[in-house]
Amino acid sequence: MTVYIELVFADNFAVTFLLAKLSYRFLQIRAKVLRMIIASLLGATAALLSPLICGVFLTIFFKLVCGVVISLILFCPKNIVKGFLIFFILTFAFGGCIFAVGYFVHGSVRKALTEPFFGIPIGLSLLLCYIMYVIVKVLLGKMLKRRDMRCYLYDAEIKLFGESVRCKAFLDSGNRLYDESSGLPIVVASIGTLSNVLSDEMITKLLTGKLSDFDGAHYVNYATLGGKARMPVFCPDSIVVYTKDKKNIINDVMLGVSFKKISDAESYGLILNPAVMKE
């Protein structure tokens, strides 16, 4: 029985540690390891004491009080409110998963709340929480990336041969491409975006390197992770970038064509050079 209690303690310590780590990620602040360890020790101790408390309501009250104390340890003083809310939401989500397993094993709400580990294989709750941790971590990473990208996304319009196509444009600080011949900055559009304004014949000419129909067209070399590559560039009629209520018409620019995806799930179709946005 002593070994079993030690395993339960370790199990709950790890679960609380995962919750604390994930809470810090949500807050986007550096994890404080010492606080996480102290909070996890308290969480593990509370899990051992919980089955000794009589009554569902007293058990819930006890867990709430422990949650408040853990939140104070982790987030006091600057992030206490947000940290408290995030930690509780994650705890309820993770706890709901464990409760579902406990209810399935015991067939009783009371036993699932007060005896969540007895009869359940040791480590199962930790495994479930770790799976949830990985899922939430991945989703959170994508959400934060999308939120950060939104600050650099603009509505744009590419004008070619008297036609125009609207798309999302991403201001990429890493795009430092310049045309050696003209000295103009290069913005890069995906062939999928340009297919909405170019005919099949024009696209075929781009693919086969027959660039005579494109104004000032030629190839430029650029570096990739796999080495060097070539990209066709030419002069568009204009590029229009909309910033809030302002319409920015950019004429002194070269348009490069990428035959590969330039964004995940094609969330944007044009990569801007920072030089075109200096104004």
Side-chain angles (χ1 to χ4, degrees):
M1 186 68 178
T2 301
V3 174
Y4 181 79
I5 290 176
E6 290 175 350
L7 290 175
V8 171
F9 184 89
D11 206 29
N12 278 274
F13 179 93
V15 170
T16 307
F17 196 88
L18 287 177
L19 288 169
K21 188 174 181 180
L22 198 55
S23 297
Y24 280 124
R25 289 185 70 89
F26 263 96
L27 289 170
Q28 291 187 281
I29 59 177
R30 186 165 59 90
K32 300 173 177 62
V33 178
L34 180 59
R35 291 192 180 205
M36 291 167 65
I37 292 174
I38 296 173
S40 299
L41 287 172
L42 176 59
T45 303
L48 292 179
L49 297 176
S50 182
L52 303 178
I53 300 174
C54 298
V56 174
F57 292 106
L58 283 177
T59 301
I60 294 175
F61 177 75
F62 174 74
K63 290 182 177 180
L64 284 173
V65 172
C66 290
V68 171
V69 176
I70 289 173
S71 298
L72 289 171
I73 294 172
L74 290 173
F75 311 113
C76 190
K78 292 183 179 180
N79 301 287
I80 183 61
V81 177
K82 288 184 179 180
F84 174 83
L85 292 174
I86 290 172
F87 185 79
F88 262 73
I89 290 172
L90 291 174
T91 299
F92 286 141
F94 281 45
C97 182
I98 298 174
F99 170 79
V101 175
Y103 182 77
F104 177 79
V105 172
H106 299 300
S108 166
V109 173
R110 184 185 65 81
K111 288 185 177 181
L113 286 171
T114 58
E115 303 176 20
F117 295 97
F118 298 107
I120 301 177
I122 296 299
L124 179 58
S125 60
L126 176 59
L127 176 62
L128 291 172
C129 285
Y130 183 74
I131 292 173
M132 289 187 66
Y133 169 81
V134 172
I135 293 173
V136 174
K137 181 181 176 181
V138 171
L139 293 177
L140 177 63
K142 290 183 177 181
M143 181 185 71
L144 293 176
K145 181 180 178 181
R146 184 170 297 180
R147 186 201 66 182
D148 293 339
M149 281 183 57
R150 198 175 295 129
C151 299
Y152 301 97
L153 282 178
Y154 301 89
D155 289 319
E157 187 176 5
I158 304 171
K159 295 187 177 183
L160 298 172
F161 303 105
E163 301 289 337
S164 63
V165 58
R166 297 289 293 263
C167 65
K168 287 291 185 181
F170 176 62
L171 180 59
D172 184 3
S173 60
N175 176 16
R176 299 294 180 179
L177 290 175
Y178 284 85
D179 179 29
E180 293 183 0
S181 300
S182 64
L184 296 176
I186 298 173
V187 298
V188 182
S190 67
I191 190 64
T193 299
L194 297 182
S195 65
N196 296 316
V197 69
L198 294 178
S199 65
D200 292 341
E201 181 183 358
M202 298 295 282
I203 292 175
T204 301
K205 289 183 177 181
L206 277 175
L207 290 168
T208 56
K210 299 177 181 179
L211 307 178
S212 58
D213 291 341
F214 297 87
D215 183 19
H218 56 277
Y219 282 94
V220 296
N221 297 318
Y222 66 99
T224 67
L225 293 177
K228 290 185 177 181
R230 291 203 313 163
M231 176 173 59
V233 299
F234 58 91
C235 298
D237 294 347
S238 66
I239 303 289
V240 180
V241 180
Y242 298 89
T243 55
K244 297 182 179 180
D245 296 329
K246 188 177 180 181
K247 181 178 179 180
N248 305 277
I249 301 175
I250 303 166
N251 294 306
D252 298 329
V253 68
M254 297 294 286
L255 179 64
V257 183
S258 172
F259 300 108
K260 299 180 180 179
K261 287 184 177 181
I262 61 175
S263 68
D264 297 335
E266 294 293 329
S267 59
Y268 54 89
L270 182 67
I271 298 177
L272 298 174
N273 187 309
V276 304
M277 299 295 288
K278 281 184 178 180
E279 296 299 326

